[in-house]
Amino acid sequence: MGVEEDMVTSYKIEPLPVKIRKIFEENGSTVKVSKGSHLCLEGEPVKDIFYVVSGKVILSKETVSGKELTLRICGNNDCIGEGIIFSKTGYYPLSAKALENANIITLDKNLFEMCLSQEPDMLIECIKWLQLQNLKSQTKLRDLLLYGKKGALYSTIIRLTNTYGIFQENGDIEIDYPLTNSDLANLCATSREVINRMLNELKKSKVISFDKSIITVHNLNYLKDACECENCPASVCRID
């Protein structure tokens, strides 16, 4: 598969298996969530897990001092709360907040687990999907810890191209999702000032350009070389 075909394929990847989505559709309740509202807060007692029908939801961790680390940007056909499935911790490990008005299906965690336990095929599908989510998390943490702030930003941009990238005829990749510098800072666990400086350096080097919060990548290989990219599959190297 060529690079362009791989980018197009990655853009169409379905985050959640069809069999798992049907559990939500057949047993859950649909609610409308307004922009800025929380589906759940870190540390709250667990009740429901969530399926995103439409809209965008961020999953994040916050410190007492107010610092925020965004771990995922969930979109259509994605699940929120997979980390608590068959877990006895009893509390949400992350906060989930709507980035825009969203339609969400909520489903009781215990009911979801019961549905899975009654259907071995669906349970296997769920395990496969959970393993993929674990791999995504591991690679993000690797980049944050091993390659510093610059590696965190570069790898985040690479993940954004795999998730929202639209390949242009001239070889550029437009990230079809608006992100402010503050959004990028939260994804990289750093300050907005640091992100501003690094983005301007990349712009001066003509590696990227940006217009009204839309980033276009002109030299993807530069970013990959700088953060020692291991060329993970597009299904793993994603921001969702």
Side-chain angles (χ1 to χ4, degrees), residues 214-233:
I214 297 295
I215 296 174
T216 298
V217 179
H218 307 297
N219 190 345
L220 186 64
N221 287 331
Y222 176 91
L223 299 175
K224 288 185 173 183
D225 291 342
C227 63
E228 300 182 20
C229 178
E230 297 179 3
N231 290 314
C232 300

Side-chain angles (χ1 to χ4, degrees), residues 12-133:
K12 297 179 180 178
I13 288 174
E14 292 288 347
L16 196 66
V18 174
K19 292 181 179 179
I20 307 301
R21 298 207 304 266
K22 286 183 177 179
I23 295 179
F24 285 92
E25 294 166 351
E26 294 173 359
N27 300 279
S29 301
T30 303
V31 297
K32 293 184 181 297
V33 180
S34 58
K35 178 181 178 179
S37 299
H38 281 87
L39 280 66
C40 62
L41 289 169
E42 182 180 357
E44 282 186 339
V46 167
K47 184 180 183 297
D48 295 328
I49 54 177
F50 311 94
Y51 168 67
V52 183
V53 179
S54 63
K56 292 284 190 301
V57 178
I58 61 168
L59 300 186
S60 62
K61 293 186 74 71
E62 297 180 14
T63 65
V64 176
S65 61
K67 291 183 179 179
E68 181 178 345
L69 170 61
T70 300
L71 295 174
R72 289 174 60 196
I73 302 176
C74 301
N76 301 2
N77 299 325
D78 212 342
C79 177
I80 297 170
E82 74 280 356
I84 61 174
I85 297 172
F86 296 110
S87 170
K88 301 300 182 183
T89 57
Y91 296 93
Y92 289 111
L94 302 170
S95 296
K97 181 174 69 174
L99 280 178
E100 57 193 40
N101 293 338
N103 291 317
I104 306 292
I105 297 178
T106 66
L107 178 60
D108 182 82
K109 168 185 175 286
N110 294 327
L111 177 57
F112 181 72
E113 291 174 352
M114 184 181 71
C115 292
L116 287 177
S117 62
Q118 292 175 346
E119 297 287 344
D121 289 345
M122 281 196 288
L123 181 57
I124 291 172
E125 287 292 323
C126 185
I127 291 172
K128 290 178 180 178
W129 178 72
L130 288 172
Q131 289 288 60
L132 178 59
Q133 297 305 107

Side-chain angles (χ1 to χ4, degrees), residues 135-217:
L135 283 173
K136 289 180 185 178
S137 297
Q138 289 171 17
T139 57
K140 288 174 189 174
L141 290 175
R142 174 200 64 199
D143 294 336
L144 286 172
L145 294 173
L146 294 183
Y147 301 116
K149 303 304 182 184
K150 185 172 288 188
L153 175 62
Y154 291 7
S155 64
T156 294
I157 294 174
I158 293 169
R159 286 187 173 84
L160 287 165
T161 62
N162 286 335
T163 310
Y164 302 111
I166 297 179
F167 223 93
Q168 309 298 307
E169 291 184 359
N170 63 357
D172 292 347
I173 307 168
E174 181 182 293
I175 297 174
D176 187 27
Y177 184 73
L179 288 163
T180 66
N181 289 3
S182 294
D183 294 331
L184 287 170
N186 290 339
L187 284 164
C188 300
T190 189
S191 67
R192 183 169 56 86
E193 291 74 19
V194 171
I195 293 297
N196 290 346
R197 176 175 53 79
M198 291 192 293
L199 286 176
N200 285 325
E201 289 174 357
L202 289 174
K203 184 179 180 180
K204 288 178 181 178
S205 301
K206 298 183 179 180
V207 176
I208 67 168
S209 60
F210 37 89
D211 179 38
K212 296 180 181 179
S213 300
I214 297 295
I215 296 174
T216 298
V217 179

